C-alpha cells in the first residue's frame, strides 16, 4: 500500500514537470516568433546588396556624366545603385552584358556591339545628339563644311567623329577625296600649331575662355547640316531588362532627376559634382563643359533622356556607309522606347521644364 501511494504521488509531479517543460517550449517559440521581424529587418540590407545594380560610365568622371553623378550623390535612385567609371575598357558593352549591369556609352559603340551579338538593350539617351563638332581657328575664315575642301583635318580613325564627319560631307555632296585627313592630329594643340586646318573633337574638349591656351574658334556642328544621331545612350544587359524591369525604370527616373538637378542651378550642382569624383574636379572647368553640352541634354522642346527612331536609323545608315559593321540584329530588338514612355506617363512632372528651362 505505501508503495502504491508513493507511485500515485509521483505521477502528478511528473505531469507538472511535463507541463512546465511544454510551457517553456511554448514561451521559447513565442519569443522566436516575436524576434522574426527583427531578424528579417537585419537581413534586408543583405538582400538589398544582392539585388544592387551597377551603373558603369564609359569614361572618367566629368561633366558628360553629370546626370549620373548627381543622381547618385543626391539619392535619386530608389534601388541600390553602385556607380563606377570604366575609362579604358575596350570591351565596355560586353562588360555590361557579362555583369548584368547598366551602362552609358556612345550610340555608335553600343550599336556596333549589339550587331556583333552582345545581348544588350538601349532604353534612353544621355546626350540626345552627337557631341562631335569640327573646330577651326576663327582667324582661318573656315566656317562651313564647304570651306574644308582642300584642307587638312585632324581625326581619329573609326571614331564617332570620323564617321559623323564623313556622313555630313557625303550628305552635302562635298568631295571627301579632296580633304586630307591627318590621323591622330585631332587635338587643339595641333590646331593652334598649324599642323592641321581643322580638327574633329567633342564640344566639351575645347579650351574655355579662362584658359591660358584659349584661342577664338569657329565651330561647325553636324546637327546644323542634318546629321542627327544618338550621342550617349543608357543601356543594360538583356538579362537585367527582362528580369528586373522595375529597376531599369527606377534608374531612368533617377537619371532624369539627376540631370534636372545638374542644370537647375549651377551654384548648387557644380560643388556637388566637383566633389563627386575621387580625385575632385575643377569647378570652373566643370561649369564650362556643362554649358557646352547643355543643348544635347536639354534640347528646346525635348525631354531629358528621350530619343526617336529616326536618329537610330541615321546612325545605322552611316555606320553601314562607313563599312564598320553589318546589321545582324535589327533596331527593334536592341532599342526600347517603352521605359521612357512609362516613366513620363507615371511622373508627368519630370517632363515639366520648370526648374531647368532657363540658363542659370
Amino acid at each position: 500500500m505505501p508503495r502504491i501511494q508513493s507511485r500515485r504521488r509521483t505521477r502528478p509531479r511528473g505531469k507538472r514537470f511535463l507541463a512546465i517543460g511544454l510551457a517553456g517550449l511554448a514561451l521559447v517559440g513565442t519569443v522566436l516568433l516575436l524576434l522574426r521581424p527583427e531578424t528579417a529587418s537585419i537581413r534586408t540590407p543583405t538582400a538589398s546588396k544582392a539585388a544592387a545594380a551597377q551603373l558603369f560610365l564609359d569614361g572618367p568622371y566629368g561633366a558628360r556624366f553629370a546626370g549620373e553623378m548627381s543622381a547618385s550623390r543626391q539619392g535619386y535612385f530608389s534601388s541600390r545603385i553602385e556607380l563606377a567609371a570604366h575609362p579604358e575598357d575596350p570591351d565596355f558593352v560586353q562588360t555590361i552584358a557579362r555583369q548584368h549591369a547598366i551602362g552609358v556609352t556612345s550610340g555608335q559603340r553600343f550599336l556596333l556591339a549589339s550587331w556583333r551579338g552582345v545581348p544588350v538593350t538601349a532604353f534612353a539617351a544621355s546626350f540626345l545628339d552627337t557631341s562631335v563638332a569640327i573646330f577651326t581657328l576663327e582667324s582661318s575664315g573656315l566656317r562651313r563644311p564647304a570651306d574644308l575642301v582642300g584642307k587638312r583635318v585632324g581625326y581619329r580613325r573609326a571614331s564617332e567623329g570620323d564617321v559623323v564627319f564623313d556622313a555630313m560631307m557625303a550628305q552635302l555632296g562635298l568631295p571627301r577625296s579632296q580633304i586630307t585627313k591627318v590621323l591622330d592630329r585631332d587635338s587643339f594643340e595641333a590646331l593652334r600649331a598649324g599642323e592641321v586646318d581643322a580638327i574633329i573633337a567633342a564640344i566639351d574638349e575645347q579650351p574655355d575662355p579662362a584658359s591660358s591656351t584659349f584661342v577664338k574658334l569657329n565651330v561647325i556642328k553636324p546637327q546644323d547640316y542634318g546629321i542627327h544621331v544618338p550621342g550617349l545612350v543608357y543601356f543594360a544587359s538583356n538579362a537585367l531588362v527582362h528580369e528586373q524591369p522595375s529597376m531599369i525604370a527606377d534608374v531612368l527616373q533617377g537619371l532624369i532627376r539627376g540631370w534636372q538637378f545638374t542644370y537647375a542651378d549651377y551654384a548648387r550642382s557644380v560643388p556637388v559634382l566637383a566633389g563627386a569624383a575621387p580625385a575632385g574636379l575643377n569647378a570652373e572647368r566643370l561649369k564650362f563643359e556643362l554649358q557646352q553640352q547643355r543643348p544635347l541634354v536639354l534640347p528646346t522642346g525635348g525631354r531629358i533622356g528621350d530619343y526617336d527612331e529616326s536618329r537610330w536609323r541615321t546612325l545605322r545608315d552611316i555606320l553601314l556607309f562607313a563599312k564598320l559593321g553589318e546589321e545582324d540584329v535589327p533596331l527593334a530588338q536592341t532599342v526600347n522606347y517603352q521605359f521612357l514612355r512609362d516613366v513620363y506617363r507615371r511622373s508627368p512632372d519630370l517632363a515639366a521644364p520648370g526648374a531647368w528651362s532657363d540658363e542659370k
Side-chain angles (χ1 to χ4, degrees), residues 70-139:
S70 291
S72 179
R73 288 297 293 266
Q74 296 299 107
Y76 294 142
F77 296 130
S78 299
S79 305
R80 190 169 180 273
I81 305 299
E82 297 174 354
L83 189 66
H86 282 228
E88 297 180 2
D89 184 353
D91 298 312
F92 181 80
V93 179
Q94 180 64 59
T95 297
I96 300 301
R98 184 173 59 252
Q99 299 196 24
H100 293 188
I102 301 169
V104 54
T105 190
S106 69
Q108 174 173 320
R109 194 170 189 182
F110 165 81
L111 196 55
L112 289 175
S114 69
W115 286 356
R116 295 195 303 268
V118 180
V120 286
T121 298
F123 60 86
S126 170
F127 287 4
L128 277 63
D129 222 322
T130 180
S131 63
V132 166
I134 298 90
F135 295 90
T136 66
L137 297 178
E138 186 182 68
S139 58

Side-chain angles (χ1 to χ4, degrees), residues 68-77 257-258 261 268-269 272:
E68 297 87 311
M69 294 159 65
S70 291
S72 179
R73 288 297 293 266
Q74 296 299 107
Y76 294 142
F77 296 130
R257 294 194 185 283
F261 171 80
R268 291 182 59 208
S269 63
V272 170

Side-chain angles (χ1 to χ4, degrees), residues 42-57:
I42 291 172
R43 290 177 179 174
T44 299
T46 303
S48 177
K49 184 175 182 180
Q54 295 172 307
L55 175 53
F56 292 156
L57 313 177

